[in-house]
Amino acid sequence: MTDRSSEPLHPVARELTPPAGGLRAYPPVERWENWEEFDPVAWPRRVKRQYSLIPTICFNCEAACGLLAYVDRQTLKIQKFEGNPTHPGSRGRNCAKGPATLNQVNDTERILYPLRRVGPRGGGKWERVTWDEALDDIAARIRKALVEGRPKEVMYHLGRPGHELVYLQRVFHAWGIDGHNSHTNVCSASARAGYAFWHGMDRPSPDHANARFILLLSSHLETGHYFNPHAQRIMEAKSRGAKVAVLDSRLSNTASMADWWLAPWPGSESAVLLAIARILVSEKLYDRDFVRRWVNWDEYLREERPDLPVTFDAFERALGELYASFTPEFAEAESGVAAATIVEVAREIGRAGSALATHVWRNTAAGNLGGWQVARALELIVVLMGAVGTPGGTAPSAWNKAIPAPPMMPPPGKVWSELLMPREYPLAFFEMSFLLPHFLKEGRGKLAMYFTRVYNPVWTNPDGMSWIEMLTDEAQVERHACLTPIWSETAWFADLVLPMGHASERHDLMSQETHAARWIGFRQPVLRVALEKQGQTFDLTWQAHEAAGLGQVWEEDEFWIELSWKIDPDGALGIRKYFESPYRPGLKLRVEELYRWIFENSVPGLPAAAAKEQLTPLQYMRKYGAFLIEDQVYRTHENPPPAGDPGVEIDGTRRLGFPTPSRKLEFFSKTLKAWKWPEQAVPNYIRSHVHWSQLDRAKGEMVLLPTFRLPTLIHTRSGNAKWLYEISHTNPLWLHPEDAARVRVVTGDLLKVSTRIGHFVDKVWVTESVRPGVVACSHHLGRWRLQENAGGERWSTALVDLARLEPGKWRMRQVHGPRPFASDDPDSSRIWWEEAGVHQNLTFPVQPDPVSGQHCWHQKVTVSRPGPDDRYGDVVVDTNRSFEVYREWLALARPAPGPDNLRRPLWLPRAFKPDASAYRLDG
């Protein structure tokens, strides 16, 4: 039999002369400046093209994978994007979203110039303005608010990626505001909170490649953020014999490749995890010495078990008693996962020892009331196995990230915004951003200047109709500037739409916890770099883009510098000095000077590596696009503490430990106890708001699981990527055959899904890939626009009629889905798909977890056959009812003050942390 693996991919390739030395996986770095290859469009004619290969960082998820832009040296057009082999995290590999960057750059419908609203908000009329006109408008409003003592009325609401490190903290501290509002409480705040209560850092960093057992809760990380860096390392581990178990109510891509797929009832995962922990302890499969040395078990005994001596033997007894009820049989009754399977997985984990890689990100943690305890329970297993920061284990995220310091970091402001961090949620891990419309409706404040940056709360957040009501009320939001590369549902309701660049059109520093290492990646505007290599010079990136035919697309780094100078032109407010050059005193900071300073002063090893190649550090990063600071990062907690840091004493030796109050891993959280949650001070199981006992399936009540993502899409940023939407353009309802038979539907039929505030209508996909009693629908689809030829990417949006039937009552009806249209891109006339999906998030009330602040995405719904007037894509919402539900969930909170009259524990991480004096309620 012929070995087909040696055959070329194309038969004509047999006629080609084999290259000397064989084929290469990637172009060698030494030839990036003048790379030659045949034009694929001209095949089979051999037409040579010369390219300059310029590295940057992908913009289409948080993973920060490396890209190489192939810039045609003759036309200065980008031919394609491929992987950067020098990038430590992605190692030259990309998922579908990376190459699709080319679609985004060449999008015929992208916003190329600053636009200002004409007429009412949402009216769809715009006029082109200059960047100076836009900056003058915004700066005047911010300056007025600052001078008049209204710093809380300036708010910046962002999605991802970009500015992942400390750039914006520098900006807002310089302005003296507490104005950073993120999307994280609709994303991952519960999982982050659960981890932070353990070790003071808000994410795990699994060393997948060296693991012997990989335990994943939901598929979010491996098919969304970090999909590419993690997936490739999981594959390596599996090739070495590692086992994979996935807890997910839905058969995800990850679960389909696992050795065990455990499909629990949504929200019951903690019961399964605590049963596993019980087995590890009772069968002596855990690392007793690690737990003795590194867990605050003595605090637990003193606070919770004063009847026992403060000895580790007594703690073992107490641990057994604490989790005695979490038998495999109890976990089976709660979750539906067989007790025998739970025992089997637990013993396999025991055999893996400290090479246990785990992760939870969204799904169960983000979906359920008390989801943060799922992360606590999962980390308990990691701690029991001594797998913290070990080869093949799971480290805290901060140990595998690098955050280079910028020049002149301003001190934090002495101001606290309760529109961001209200006293009802003192432990909320990020800002309570999704409650903003309700806060303003209650009269808690107003906004003089509101920014949305690559963020689309009208579409992404729950209760989007309340966001439309807020954004169209100029008494609540006086000025709204949307910084975005593309049209979005939110941009339509802005006053200023300001075009910001994609992956190849901006500067950013990125560093993510992809594996047991620390690295930085450098996103850069490749066409500006290419033009400057030819001798052209530019003051600003938008000028380079204009020269390259990209309109006046800009980048935020320069935008904030220019805006800050306009806010404080003479330096009287004390802002301007933070945006002056470290090399040219008194003159405006240039973006290349910012990164030059960082690379020269804040990245260990980079200056020496650059010097070896006779390059400056900035030249090195422009050439390679990434730098590995440290590899094989393990057991950081065992390091000696730096000078001035007392660390923690472990068996007579001072160690770095963890950034928690005890400097140890906190099985027992004195913080949770002191801040009014004593019953949740240790890892625990909280029954979800969608627990099975609360449902009557005979009446059509089910759980809607709306949190899963598709590996080809990313929120709203991929809406202008035609290749991706050709692959993925529908979000049907996943329905188990048992439930399909009960409601008498087959694949392709319509179902009406009713929530507490409205309903939507979608098509059914009948599949055994989801648990009975659960209906699942991806949150990545359902994009819409309000005008035929404007306001949304026609590759990905449906034209809709949005009607306000009466105050608080809204109906959205699709007019038509995607269809061919004329443009400069011939592919737009070839669109064959007719659906854009259904916007389910509009029908979800806000459901804030009272501890973590996370919106609990899972919905108790009623599923029924549609009526004669219901159509595919219909959405009906009552925002009056949504406000009532908000008030119900608000009542679950246990507000500040906490100890010492504080708004929030001082040690608990907070993005853009204000001055300590602002933490006091009487301060």
Side-chain angles (χ1 to χ4, degrees):
M1 184 176 178
T2 304
D3 180 10
R4 304 297 298 178
S5 64
S6 62
E7 287 289 299
L9 296 177
H10 195 288
V12 178
R14 297 192 188 99
E15 303 169 11
L16 299 176
T17 303
L23 294 172
R24 293 178 179 267
Y26 303 97
V29 175
E30 59 272 16
R31 293 176 58 191
W32 282 6
E33 191 52 44
N34 191 12
W35 176 249
E36 185 178 272
E37 62 180 41
F38 293 131
D39 186 344
V41 177
W43 184 267
R45 292 183 299 114
R46 301 177 187 177
V47 178
K48 292 183 178 180
R49 296 284 189 187
Q50 285 75 41
Y51 299 101
S52 177
L53 274 53
I54 302 174
T56 188
I57 301 294
C58 186
F59 189 70
N60 280 332
C61 91
E62 189 183 349
C65 296
L67 293 176
L68 285 180
Y70 284 60
V71 180
D72 190 302
R73 292 173 61 86
Q74 181 177 356
T75 65
L76 285 182
K77 301 295 183 183
I78 300 173
Q79 172 69 24
K80 62 179 176 179
F81 289 91
E82 292 191 349
N84 179 0
T86 69
H87 189 289
S90 55
R91 302 182 294 185
R93 308 169 201 178
N94 294 105
C95 73
K97 298 188 287 288
T101 299
L102 186 66
N103 298 162
Q104 299 171 313
V105 171
N106 295 333
D107 173 25
T108 60
E109 298 191 297
R110 69 180 301 184
I111 304 163
L112 296 176
Y113 298 95
L115 300 174
R116 182 169 56 201
R117 169 176 62 91
V118 177
R121 283 186 188 159
K125 295 182 179 180
W126 307 90
E127 64 179 356
R128 179 175 159 183
V129 295
T130 67
W131 275 110
D132 273 338
E133 287 176 310
L135 287 167
D136 288 341
D137 181 329
I138 296 169
R141 294 171 184 274
I142 295 175
R143 180 182 175 87
K144 189 172 189 293
L146 297 181
V147 170
E148 294 179 357
R150 297 182 285 112
K152 299 175 186 178
E153 293 185 13
V154 180
M155 183 181 292
Y156 172 80
H157 202 163
L158 80 160
R160 290 186 185 273
H163 299 311
E164 293 299 330
L165 304 181
V166 294
Y167 188 98
L168 276 171
Q169 181 172 323
R170 188 169 174 275
V171 173
F172 298 146
H173 282 180
W175 293 2
I177 68 171
D178 183 23
H180 171 270
N181 206 358
S182 73
H183 73 291
T184 311
N185 259 329
V186 298
C187 179
S188 53
S190 261
R192 292 173 186 255
Y195 284 112
F197 288 132
W198 262 110
H199 51 53
M201 292 166 273
D202 72 346
R203 309 195 210 193
S205 179
D207 185 26
H208 284 315
N210 299 302
R212 288 191 289 270
F213 196 92
I214 298 171
L215 177 59
L216 303 172
L217 272 67
S218 84
S219 65
H220 173 75
L221 199 81
E222 279 59 50
T223 57
H225 295 333
Y226 308 144
F227 164 42
N228 168 44
H230 275 197
Q232 59 182 266
R233 290 174 171 87
I234 292 173
M235 291 165 62
E236 291 173 9
K238 282 183 66 68
S239 70
R240 299 187 187 115
K243 302 295 185 181
V244 178
V246 174
L247 269 77
D248 195 336
S249 305
R250 181 187 64 92
L251 183 65
S252 64
N253 291 358
T254 311
S256 70
M257 302 298 291
D259 298 282
W260 289 270
W261 171 38
L262 285 66
W265 185 265
S268 67
E269 290 84 355
S270 289
V272 175
L273 295 171
L274 293 177
I276 291 173
R278 179 182 180 277
I279 293 166
L280 296 174
V281 173
S282 65
E283 298 189 7
K284 309 295 184 185
L285 299 176
Y286 77 110
D287 188 334
R288 187 177 191 273
D289 191 56
F290 178 85
V291 175
R292 178 191 64 78
R293 296 175 69 237
W294 281 107
V295 171
N296 71 335
W297 53 267
D298 53 335
E299 285 190 328
Y300 171 73
L301 291 176
R302 291 189 184 97
E303 291 276 344
E304 301 298 300
R305 295 298 303 269
D307 57 309
L308 296 177
V310 184
T311 65
F312 191 74
D313 287 343
F315 175 69
E316 281 189 302
R317 172 188 161 188
L319 196 63
E321 293 171 356
L322 181 65
Y323 295 117
S325 63
F326 287 93
T327 63
E329 292 73 23
F330 168 79
E332 178 177 0
E334 286 294 298
S335 69
V337 177
T341 302
I342 293 171
V343 173
E344 183 182 7
V345 169
R347 290 172 178 166
E348 196 69 35
I349 289 172
R351 283 188 282 272
S354 63
L356 170 66
T358 71
H359 207 287
V360 60
W361 200 232
R362 290 196 68 191
N363 199 330
T364 180
N368 296 287
L369 176 68
W372 57 278
Q373 278 286 25
V374 178
R376 288 273 281 162
L378 180 62
E379 186 67 7
L380 173 61
I381 295 173
V382 174
V383 171
L384 287 173
M385 298 311 302
V388 179
T390 54
T394 308
S397 59
W399 293 349
N400 293 338
K401 292 184 72 167
I403 305 179
M408 291 187 68
M409 175 61 82
K414 298 179 179 181
V415 59
W416 187 285
S417 173
E418 289 214 4
L419 289 179
L420 302 177
M421 303 293 283
R423 65 188 65 194
E424 289 95 338
Y425 298 95
L427 303 180
F429 207 72
F430 271 79
E431 307 86 7
M432 300 300 297
S433 59
F434 61 98
L435 300 184
L436 182 62
H438 298 298
F439 289 165
L440 297 188
K441 187 173 183 177
E442 287 179 320
R444 298 193 185 200
K446 68 178 180 68
L447 299 176
M449 188 68 229
Y450 179 58
F451 296 93
T452 50
R453 176 201 168 274
V454 195
Y455 189 50
N456 188 5
V458 169
W459 185 83
T460 302
N461 283 7
D463 194 16
M465 296 303 188
S466 289
W467 281 85
I468 292 175
E469 292 175 354
M470 180 193 84
L471 292 174
T472 52
D473 186 342
E474 295 187 43
Q476 293 183 358
V477 180
E478 294 176 357
R479 203 65 163 171
H480 173 201
C482 186
L483 283 63
T484 175
I486 62 172
W487 281 108
S488 71
E489 290 81 352
T490 299
W492 196 251
F493 296 98
D495 300 302
L496 293 164
V497 179
L498 306 178
M500 296 293 166
H502 286 293
S504 58
E505 300 163 350
R506 54 189 297 119
H507 289 92
D508 287 315
L509 268 187
M510 301 291 293
S511 182
Q512 300 293 8
E513 59 278 12
T514 54
H515 63 297
R518 296 192 303 129
W519 55 265
I520 58 169
F522 187 37
R523 186 177 286 125
Q524 57 181 337
V526 301
L527 292 181
R528 178 176 181 173
V529 171
L531 287 166
E532 289 178 340
K533 286 181 178 181
Q534 294 185 352
Q536 298 190 52
T537 59
F538 305 95
D539 291 326
L540 300 167
T541 294
W542 72 257
Q543 297 167 342
H545 287 155
E546 192 169 46
L550 272 180
Q552 293 181 356
V553 173
W554 208 1
E555 60 166 302
E556 285 93 333
D557 278 11
E558 292 181 340
F559 174 84
W560 296 118
I561 294 169
E562 295 293 321
L563 181 58
S564 297
W565 269 67
K566 284 183 176 287
I567 293 170
D568 188 18
D570 58 3
L573 297 182
I575 294 172
R576 199 186 94 168
K577 64 184 179 182
Y578 295 109
F579 302 91
E580 294 176 351
S581 168
Y583 303 101
R584 300 174 295 117
L587 298 180
K588 188 183 296 180
L589 176 68
R590 296 174 62 89
V591 70
E592 63 269 19
E593 293 176 325
L594 172 71
Y595 289 103
R596 172 189 167 188
W597 192 96
I598 290 173
F599 296 151
E600 289 175 351
N601 296 279
S602 299
V603 184
L606 176 56
K612 287 182 181 179
E613 299 196 24
Q614 298 183 317
L615 299 171
T616 67
L618 178 58
Q619 289 171 337
Y620 183 98
M621 292 302 292
R622 290 225 186 270
K623 178 180 179 179
Y624 290 100
F627 179 70
L628 179 63
I629 297 172
E630 184 181 5
D631 203 1
Q632 303 296 306
V633 177
Y634 296 115
R635 297 186 174 92
T636 303
H637 56 289
E638 297 276 7
N639 292 342
D645 183 346
V648 61
E649 184 176 312
I650 302 295
D651 291 344
T653 302
R654 285 284 161 188
R655 305 287 187 183
L656 176 64
F658 301 86
T660 60
S662 68
R663 299 300 292 268
K664 292 184 177 183
L665 292 162
E666 298 207 338
F667 167 79
F668 169 71
S669 173
K670 290 181 72 172
T671 298
L672 284 165
K673 182 176 182 179
W675 287 78
K676 306 176 185 177
W677 294 95
E679 73 276 22
Q680 302 300 339
V682 298
N684 196 12
Y685 168 45
I686 300 173
R687 279 189 163 185
S688 172
H689 64 295
V690 293
H691 189 265
W692 49 263
S693 63
Q694 304 300 311
L695 304 182
D696 186 342
R697 289 178 64 189
K699 295 181 179 179
E701 293 180 350
M702 300 181 71
V703 174
L704 173 61
L705 191 158
T707 52
F708 74 91
R709 64 173 61 248
L710 305 175
T712 46
L713 300 178
I714 178 71
H715 298 311
T716 61
R717 290 193 300 279
S718 51
N720 57 346
K722 60 184 180 182
W723 295 340
L724 301 180
Y725 266 83
E726 184 172 23
I727 297 170
S728 305
H729 45 261
T730 61
N731 59 340
L733 298 166
W734 295 35
L735 195 69
H736 192 273
E738 288 182 16
D739 295 308
R742 177 173 50 81
V743 294
R744 303 186 308 280
V745 293
V746 297
T747 294
D749 286 349
L750 294 180
L751 274 181
K752 181 177 179 178
V753 180
S754 298
T755 69
R756 295 189 67 190
I757 68 170
H759 71 261
F760 66 94
V761 180
D762 198 358
K763 294 182 180 179
V764 170
W765 180 47
V766 179
T767 174
E768 294 182 343
S769 299
V770 68
R771 275 192 61 97
V774 176
V775 59
C777 186
S778 172
H779 68 283
H780 268 161
L781 282 301
R783 302 297 308 280
W784 48 269
R785 66 186 190 278
L786 294 173
Q787 288 186 5
E788 183 66 68
N789 298 320
E793 298 290 331
R794 284 179 281 179
W795 308 101
S796 57
T797 61
L799 179 68
V800 303
D801 173 59
L802 180 61
R804 193 171 189 172
L805 305 176
E806 58 183 88
K809 303 293 179 63
W810 294 84
R811 187 196 68 190
M812 178 183 290
R813 173 154 285 177
Q814 295 192 7
V815 179
H816 64 74
R819 60 187 186 186
F821 63 94
S823 76
D824 293 336
D825 184 344
D827 282 347
S828 68
S829 66
R830 302 173 180 135
I831 294 176
W832 55 266
W833 57 97
E834 299 176 343
E835 294 180 27
V838 179
H839 189 189
Q840 58 177 333
N841 291 13
L842 288 171
T843 69
F844 300 163
V846 295
Q847 300 177 156
D849 182 272
V851 175
S852 70
Q854 166 84 52
H855 170 63
C856 303
W857 279 101
H858 291 351
Q859 303 287 320
K860 176 182 175 179
V861 299
T862 300
V863 176
S864 61
R865 300 289 296 273
D869 295 329
D870 293 320
R871 302 181 190 173
Y872 170 76
D874 278 359
V875 175
V876 174
V877 174
D878 182 345
T879 58
N880 297 318
R881 180 64 181 137
S882 72
F883 185 75
E884 293 172 4
V885 177
Y886 151 72
R887 296 292 297 177
E888 290 176 18
W889 280 75
L890 186 68
L892 301 178
R894 300 177 187 178
D900 300 320
N901 207 35
L902 292 176
R903 300 175 182 274
R904 177 182 179 84
L906 283 165
W907 76 270
L908 194 64
R910 187 197 158 183
F912 297 20
K913 198 169 187 176
D915 184 82
S917 63
Y919 276 65
R920 296 190 62 86
L921 272 169
D922 55 0

